[in-house]
Amino acid sequence: MDLTGLPINDEARAIADAYQVSMQNMPERQCILYSSHYIVLGPQNLRIEQELDPISGSVRAYRLSGTVDRAPHVIYMDGRPHPSASAPHTPGGFSTGVWEGQQLKVRTTHLKASMVWRNGVPHSDRATMTEYYIRHGNMLTLTMILEDPVYFEEPFI
């Protein structure tokens, strides 16, 4: 298995080595979704929708979706705080965004443990993700940085 470029530790490598894609055929694993980070890694379509505040008309959240095997990615733009560390973790995690000039910076916490890639490389429920969205005319540049103190030796960009 080629794990080149993945900054993983020995424990993550052992988990990936034991993984077989046929495991996804097991009934208890057929509905497992990829985490929100897969928006950058997986081949897929992308749909971005705004959720507007009905009173002020300001953007309350962006909803990114488009693929059936990945959790919807909701980016809250209304300044709400991240939940406590004991709050439930989901495949989509909890994301907040702020505009920094012309780029949208998104911070995601509360990700449920999942796979980084379709080769079984894991990330833990302590993983966090930072994304940068930059629009260049009709092109969108997306940079994702996934950090995991359990399975990564350094951030995965």
Side-chain angles (χ1 to χ4, degrees):
M1 174 182 312
D2 185 9
L3 301 175
T4 304
L6 293 170
I8 57 176
N9 60 25
D10 291 338
E11 185 178 357
R13 187 170 283 101
I15 291 169
D17 286 342
Y19 177 79
Q20 295 181 17
V21 75
S22 63
M23 293 170 142
Q24 291 181 325
N25 292 330
M26 299 167 72
E28 66 271 20
R29 294 181 180 219
Q30 289 182 2
C31 293
I32 295 175
L33 298 172
Y34 289 103
S35 293
S36 291
H37 74 280
Y38 201 66
I39 195 170
V40 178
L41 302 173
Q44 61 195 350
N45 54 356
L46 176 62
R47 180 182 192 133
I48 302 174
E49 297 177 304
Q50 295 179 3
E51 178 184 308
L52 301 177
D53 181 283
I55 306 293
S56 68
S58 63
V59 176
R60 181 185 295 168
Y62 292 109
R63 296 184 181 278
L64 285 65
S65 62
T67 301
V68 297
D69 63 348
R70 185 185 50 76
H73 189 35
V74 179
I75 302 167
Y76 294 103
M77 300 296 294
D78 57 5
R80 68 182 69 188
H82 282 252
S84 74
S86 61
H89 288 57
T90 65
F94 185 88
S95 302
T96 55
V98 294
W99 286 102
E100 294 181 345
Q102 295 297 309
Q103 72 179 2
L104 176 61
K105 179 181 180 181
V106 178
R107 183 80 175 140
T108 302
T109 60
H110 295 78
L111 287 166
K112 188 174 186 174
S114 183
M115 287 189 298
V116 174
W117 201 261
R118 291 181 174 213
N119 58 7
V121 172
H123 74 71
S124 75
D125 63 355
R126 293 178 53 203
T128 59
M129 180 172 64
T130 305
E131 301 161 279
Y132 296 92
Y133 293 82
I134 306 166
R135 184 174 176 182
H136 308 277
N138 289 333
M139 300 294 290
L140 182 66
T141 300
L142 173 52
T143 303
M144 181 269 303
I145 304 166
L146 189 64
E147 299 177 78
D148 185 353
V150 177
Y151 294 122
F152 291 4
E153 293 179 344
E154 60 187 53
F156 175 44
I157 301 172

